[in-house]
Amino acid sequence: MSTPAHLAPRPPAFGSTRADLWLQVLLVLGVSLGASALYALLSLAEHLARGPLSEAQATMNPPLSLQPLFDLLRQLTGIALDLVPVLLALYLLAGSAGALGTVRRRIGLDARMPLPDLGLGTVLFLLMGLGTLALYGAGRALGVTAEVSTSGLAEHWWTVPVLLLSALRHALVEEVVVVAFLADRLTRIGWSWPVVLVVTALFRGSYHLYQGIGPFLGNVVMGLVFAELYRRTGRVMPLVVAHFLLDAVGFLGAARFLG
């Protein structure tokens, strides 16, 4: 006699097993920051093979075409495609397209608390910004940090908007993937919070290794602070605000703000 359908053993829910969770982590990182970490390690090795890190140069936001129009189109295309892993991470956290709004509220990627988010994000920006500058300067003085150029773009009417979009791109990718998604999946796999905290912070530093040891250490500290704040507040938005401000100021430079 066959077993009635409603009494038959049911397979585990999608994404609920450890194997599923690990595969999700590998897939999301493989199309985003995991790939960046591998390239950063290769860049660091190449810098060291050529000579001292103090003589190396690292350029963020390089031009993608000699023709301004196609440079603009390539920059915008790259930013849009880089946001796909963010959507993938949110989708995997949600489990369905219909639950995307719910998961955004659950991780605090929404506008329910604009003033607290902006206030905490600004404080983080000031603290992390000062720390980043100090570690970069120390790293340059010790010869273990490359000379970093935050923008290689020429001056066009679209340069500032593209740099701001690039800053937003980095903020969303790093905070959603590394903090909200990775911390969630690793804790569900069974890792303790202290281990998750250290691993995610080291991972954040790893994809900045192409800049040298100073930026690596600065981002590890940033990872520790950001992940712990997310654990305590349950909101990723202040981290996005802080990260956006850090990158926006870095990309645009003091000269643009001062006219």
Side-chain angles (χ1 to χ4, degrees):
M1 181 181 296
S2 62
T3 304
H6 67 284
L7 296 178
R10 296 183 181 182
F14 172 76
S16 63
T17 68
R18 287 171 61 91
D20 284 332
L21 296 171
W22 274 119
L23 183 57
Q24 290 177 21
V25 168
L26 292 175
L27 290 176
V28 171
L29 296 186
V31 297
S32 60
L33 297 169
S36 299
L38 293 177
Y39 282 120
L41 286 170
L42 290 173
S43 295
L44 178 63
E46 185 177 4
H47 288 327
L48 292 173
R50 289 178 177 176
L53 271 177
S54 59
E55 299 178 3
Q57 293 184 335
T59 301
M60 306 172 69
N61 301 298
L64 301 178
S65 174
L66 296 176
Q67 300 184 43
L69 175 59
F70 286 99
D71 193 9
L72 170 61
L73 294 175
R74 287 177 181 272
Q75 297 288 343
L76 294 176
T77 300
I79 291 170
L81 292 177
D82 283 347
L83 291 175
V84 173
V86 175
L87 181 59
L88 174 60
L90 291 173
Y91 174 68
L92 292 173
L93 287 173
S96 68
L100 283 172
T102 301
V103 82
R104 285 198 308 107
R105 289 189 294 273
R106 178 164 65 84
I107 67 174
L109 188 66
D110 56 27
R112 286 178 299 160
M113 302 172 62
L115 293 181
D117 289 343
L118 183 60
L120 180 55
T122 302
V123 171
L124 288 173
F125 155 67
L126 294 174
L127 294 176
M128 292 296 110
L130 292 174
T132 298
L133 288 175
L135 284 172
Y136 175 75
R140 290 293 293 162
L142 294 172
V144 295
T145 296
E147 180 181 356
V148 179
S149 172
T150 56
S151 176
L153 298 180
E155 293 289 342
H156 303 292
W157 64 267
W158 48 263
T159 301
V160 171
V162 163
L163 289 175
L164 291 175
L165 287 174
S166 181
L168 180 61
R169 173 256 310 269
H170 287 296
L172 287 171
V173 172
E174 294 191 42
E175 305 316 324
V176 171
V177 171
V178 178
V179 177
F181 174 78
L182 195 54
D184 177 274
R185 283 326 190 228
L186 293 180
T187 52
R188 287 186 60 187
I189 285 169
W191 289 16
S192 67
W193 176 250
V195 174
V196 172
L197 184 64
V198 172
V199 168
T200 55
L202 289 173
F203 176 66
R204 185 189 290 263
S206 70
Y207 51 81
H208 292 91
L209 274 171
Y210 71 97
Q211 300 173 6
I213 304 304
F216 166 78
L217 294 175
N219 278 278
V220 169
V221 173
M222 180 174 169
L224 292 170
V225 173
F226 277 26
E228 181 61 22
L229 277 174
Y230 175 70
R231 185 185 73 86
R232 291 171 180 266
T233 66
R235 294 191 60 77
V236 77
M237 188 58 80
L239 314 182
V240 172
V241 170
H243 199 139
F244 169 76
L245 292 174
L246 283 167
D247 282 2
V249 171
F251 293 168
L252 296 179
R256 284 195 175 92
F257 284 100
L258 297 176

